[in-house]
Each structure stands twice: as structure tokens, then as C-alpha cells.
Amino acid sequence: MIPFLFFLLGLEILLYYWTYLPHGEFDTKSGCYSMALREILDSKLNKAGMVRAVYVKTDEGVLFEIKSHVRIPRTCKRFCGVMLELLKEKFIRTEDTNEVLMHVIEEPVTRHLPVNSRVVGLSYSAEKLVDIDKCVNSAGVDDQGLVFVVGAMAHGKINEEYADDFISVSNYRLESKTCIALICEALEYKWKSILG
């Protein structure tokens, strides 16, 4: 059986990123966050039902869950509006079915992950440089959940205390979207017979 995937994104979110700048344009960081989320949610892995949930933790300590079937807004303005509404209301629901699509959850994130999950943290500053394909292939194919922790912030690093393994996939700094694309591509290749 193939393990379900969970992604945890660490976001550097400040409200001024989600408001207009003086010259009328949004900060590009908001676009980076939405692209990272779209990379996961638009992947073949997610479309095949292998991504169970995406968890996002802000620098301010707010942790929220995004259901894997959510469609992230394509424009930065709409994305920022949804994120502001989520932080204010603590949840986002569909208008027609009243289903909760995103909601703020309690810390720590480990209580929301499956028992015995393998948690892999990715950071440029990690001492262990690995080939992502080899890392993914070494992950056992069993009932164990597979969790990737990717930082999507300009400064700082992700919390290492709940990661089983902490790796770097490049000698160079990569955007979170690129790291997620590398993970998804490696997993899609590994499970290509199931994904079709």
C-alpha cells in the first residue's frame, strides 16, 4: 500500500504582505506562497488522491489545514483575500455545501499526522545533501504516512524537532515551489504504475 502524503509549509506571513503596497501591487511573497500551495494541490499525486492534507504554519504561530481537494485562487489578490478571511474567521467553507475547506487547528502539528509517519524536513541549511530520487526511493512503501516539511520563508528555518530526517536537495537556495516540484516529480516517478 502506498503511504499518504502530508505537506507542512512554514510561511512567513505578515499582514502587510497581503495588503496593497503604495504603488498598487501585492508583495511577491504572497505569490510565492500561493505557487507553493498550487504546486502540491495541482500535482498528479494529489489528483490521484495520495495527498491527504496540507498544513501551513505561519511565523506568528497560526497553524491551519488545507483539504487536499481545495482549489487555490489563481490571482494573488484573491489568494490574499482568502488567507485574510481564514485568519480572521478561523475557517473557510464552501457556499453551497457548507463543507470546511481550510481551518485553523491547534498546535502541535504532530497530533494531526498519522502515528509512525516519516517526517522529512527540507532546508538549504541542512548538513545532509541528498538526491531527492534516492531519498524517496528509500522511503518504505507501507502503511506509514510520508510527511514533507518545506519552508516557504525568506528568512529563518523550519523547526527541526519533529523531523525524522533533515535534508537539503541542492547546493543552491531553491524556492519552496521548486522543492515541492522535485518531491512530487520523484514520487510520481516512483509510483508511475499507480498514477498511470
Side-chain angles (χ1 to χ4, degrees):
M1 173 161 199
I2 294 179
F4 287 103
L5 302 174
F6 297 82
F7 286 89
L8 173 64
L9 293 176
L11 298 183
E12 182 183 284
I13 297 179
L14 300 174
L15 290 181
Y16 74 84
Y17 289 157
W18 291 344
T19 57
Y20 280 105
L21 296 176
H23 35 75
E25 294 181 16
F26 280 99
D27 191 324
T28 56
K29 291 178 182 164
S30 298
C32 293
Y33 305 146
S34 68
M35 287 189 297
L37 288 170
R38 285 198 320 248
E39 191 70 41
I40 298 166
L41 298 173
D42 290 347
S43 70
K44 285 183 186 178
L45 296 169
N46 190 37
K47 293 189 186 328
M50 297 171 73
V51 176
R52 187 62 61 87
V54 177
Y55 297 100
V56 179
K57 183 174 179 182
T58 69
D59 270 1
E60 289 78 26
V62 179
L63 178 66
F64 57 93
E65 177 184 12
I66 301 174
K67 300 294 183 185
S68 60
H69 61 277
V70 168
R71 182 174 155 88
I72 295 296
R74 298 307 196 215
T75 66
C76 189
K77 182 177 181 179
R78 181 67 187 125
F79 173 76
C80 292
V82 169
M83 290 295 111
L84 283 174
E85 183 180 343
L86 173 64
L87 293 173
K88 181 180 175 187
E89 302 294 328
K90 307 296 185 213
F91 60 85
I92 301 288
R93 295 182 186 269
T94 60
E95 291 180 13
D96 51 348
T97 64
N98 219 21
E99 176 191 8
V100 175
L101 299 173
M102 302 179 198
H103 62 104
V104 175
I105 56 178
E106 292 183 25
E107 288 267 26
V109 70
T110 51
R111 71 191 273 188
H112 302 284
L113 301 174
V115 178
N116 298 324
S117 295
R118 180 167 180 238
V119 181
V120 179
L122 280 83
S123 175
Y124 167 74
S125 62
E127 294 177 14
K128 186 176 174 185
L129 179 63
V130 301
D131 179 340
I132 190 65
D133 293 319
K134 290 179 183 173
C135 176
V136 163
N137 286 328
S138 69
V141 180
D142 53 18
D143 294 328
Q144 183 182 26
L146 192 54
V147 180
F148 288 97
V149 183
V150 180
M153 57 274 216
H155 304 288
K157 63 180 186 173
I158 59 175
N159 189 344
E160 296 178 41
E161 67 188 42
Y162 50 78
D164 299 322
D165 203 5
F166 201 63
I167 63 170
S168 175
V169 294
S170 174
N171 286 323
Y172 307 102
R173 292 186 184 271
L174 301 176
E175 289 185 355
S176 55
K177 174 187 179 249
T178 306
C179 289
I180 292 166
L182 289 171
I183 294 166
C184 290
E185 185 179 305
L187 289 167
E188 288 166 9
Y189 184 76
K190 178 177 182 174
W191 297 323
K192 64 184 169 188
S193 60
I194 295 164
L195 295 172

